[in-house]
């Protein structure tokens, strides 16, 4: 896009529809704004999110200006607004421990899988064992015995389709975030 001063500006526009689309672009706008505040050098600047004036069923998210903050603002795990990976809502409620946040997050994934694929007693028993035995045994020691984790901002959906390169600076750029404050190695 050409600006008034004849310079160029790269931009990205995402357009969605319906209530789920509104939730998607709203969550992505807050996610990308939070990432930009912490990692301005790595993230495009979020410009706006909203609804088309001509059609209240069409919503948008607008990014522009491609160019070891990131601590949780309240010391908890979660995020300030709901976010979606594609059309699937992510768990974002604030929790005191990584174990509690991860337990609830992975439980939603397991429950969604059961809803889409149907109930299977063997799979349900495995899921319950992971939730009740594996998660506490692996994660509880990270935050007991004087150890602690500081919840850090993570993108939430890093893969090659959500990463690019700023052609002017040859530096990496990330986008399409579904942020949480979580374990720094959870990405």
């Amino acid at each position: 896009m050409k600006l008034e001063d004849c310079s160029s500006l790269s931009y990205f526009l995402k357009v969605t529809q319906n209530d789920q689309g509104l939730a998607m672009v709203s969550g992505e706008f807050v996610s990308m704004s939070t990432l930009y505040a912490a990692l301005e050098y790595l993230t495009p600047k979020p410009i706006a999110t909203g609804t088309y004036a001509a059609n209240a069923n069409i919503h948008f998210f607008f990014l522009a200006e491609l160019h070891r903050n990131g601590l949780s603002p309240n010391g908890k795990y979660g995020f300030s607004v709901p976010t979606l990976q594609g059309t699937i809502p992510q768990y974002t409620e604030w929790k005191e421990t990584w174990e509690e946040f991860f337990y609830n997050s992975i439980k939603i994934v397991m429950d969604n899988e059961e809803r889409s694929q149907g109930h299977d007693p063997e799979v349900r028993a495995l899921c319950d064992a992971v939730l009740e035995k594996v998660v506490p045994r692996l994660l509880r020691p990270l935050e007991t015995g004087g150890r602690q984790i500081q919840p850090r901002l993570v993108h939430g959906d890093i893969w090659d389709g959500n990463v690019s390169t700023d052609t002017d600076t040859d530096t990496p750029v990330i986008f399409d975030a579904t942020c949480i404050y979580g374990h720094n190695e959870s990405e």
Side-chain angles (χ1 to χ4, degrees):
M1 157 182 356
K2 290 284 186 196
L3 302 177
E4 288 180 13
D5 66 359
C6 295
S7 63
S8 298
L9 178 69
S10 299
Y11 69 92
F12 169 79
L13 178 67
K14 178 182 268 189
V15 178
T16 63
Q17 297 181 27
N18 304 320
D19 291 339
Q20 194 167 36
L22 177 59
M24 182 188 303
V25 295
S26 298
E28 186 173 346
F29 178 77
V30 174
S31 290
M32 291 302 294
S33 296
T34 306
L35 276 174
Y36 183 77
L39 303 164
E40 182 177 329
Y41 64 91
L42 187 62
T43 310
K45 182 178 181 182
I47 301 299
T49 186
T51 300
Y52 280 32
N55 186 337
N57 197 37
I58 299 178
H59 316 286
F60 67 89
F61 169 58
F62 187 63
L63 283 170
E65 260 181 27
L66 300 182
H67 294 158
R68 271 295 194 198
N69 294 328
L71 282 174
S72 173
N74 58 15
K76 296 180 180 181
Y77 301 89
F79 201 62
S80 59
V81 299
T83 61
L84 289 84
Q85 270 191 342
T87 60
I88 301 169
Q90 303 301 294
Y91 185 80
T92 58
E93 289 182 33
W94 294 112
K95 296 296 177 189
E96 296 288 335
T97 68
W98 177 238
E99 176 187 347
E100 185 180 13
F101 181 84
F102 186 83
Y103 175 100
N104 286 292
S105 183
I106 199 72
K107 184 175 185 323
I108 286 177
V109 171
M110 292 171 175
D111 292 346
N112 285 340
E113 184 69 13
E114 184 174 58
R115 269 192 295 284
S116 74
Q117 301 301 314
H119 178 72
D120 179 315
E122 185 178 0
V123 172
R124 182 77 267 165
L126 290 170
C127 289
D128 291 345
V130 166
L131 292 169
E132 301 305 324
K133 295 179 181 177
V134 177
V135 169
R137 286 182 188 166
L138 293 178
L139 300 185
R140 190 169 298 152
L142 299 174
E143 296 181 278
T144 56
R147 291 177 293 273
Q148 70 178 61
I149 302 169
Q150 292 182 318
R152 299 285 181 157
L153 182 63
V154 295
H155 180 281
D157 192 21
I158 288 287
W159 65 288
D160 63 353
N162 291 341
V163 178
S164 189
T165 303
D166 181 329
T167 57
D168 293 333
T169 63
D170 212 24
T171 56
V173 179
I174 59 174
F175 45 89
D176 204 12
T178 59
C179 288
I180 61 162
Y181 290 94
H183 189 291
N184 63 306
E185 294 182 3
S186 64
E187 193 76 62

